[in-house]
Amino acid sequence: MKKLIVFICLLAVLSCKKGALDPTGTTCEKASAEYEKVLTAWSQDLGNKTKCEAVKKSLSDIIRSCSVYTAAQRKVYEDQIKDIDCE
């Protein structure tokens, strides 16, 4: 659970930085906005499996949509997504 909280905090900080996620891509902007929405909803109800799965899907969408990530960075995020336990 501690890793999950650290992961969420890290993502929240990164998503707040201007230009952290490719701001020129419309798809990236939409994916980022959706991620912030579902992350906020899940943070208020951590036991909700549906909201947890929505966060994982949304984060995957960001990884696919935003071109700022290298292959190595994508791999790190994908591994972290796998570590999020929604059970």
Side-chain angles (χ1 to χ4, degrees):
M1 185 68 164
K2 187 176 180 181
K3 284 171 54 174
L4 176 62
I5 293 171
V6 171
F7 175 68
I8 290 171
C9 292
L10 174 65
L11 290 175
V13 168
L14 289 176
S15 67
C16 292
K17 288 174 63 178
K18 236 182 181 29
L21 301 174
D22 181 16
T24 60
T26 304
T27 306
C28 184
E29 287 178 8
K30 288 179 183 177
S32 297
E34 179 65 18
Y35 172 72
E36 288 180 29
K37 182 178 126 186
V38 298
L39 182 62
T40 300
W42 183 49
S43 70
Q44 296 170 356
D45 186 11
L46 290 175
N48 188 311
K49 182 177 179 177
T50 304
K51 290 178 182 177
C52 177
E53 292 294 338
V55 168
K56 290 173 71 170
K57 180 190 177 302
S58 183
L59 187 54
S60 294
D61 291 344
I62 286 176
I63 293 169
R64 278 193 306 275
S65 302
C66 301
S67 61
V68 297
Y69 298 116
T70 65
Q73 289 170 318
R74 289 174 193 256
K75 176 74 172 121
V76 168
Y77 285 119
E78 289 167 356
D79 290 344
Q80 289 177 338
I81 290 170
K82 291 176 187 173
D83 287 342
I84 297 174
D85 184 16
C86 293
E87 295 302 316

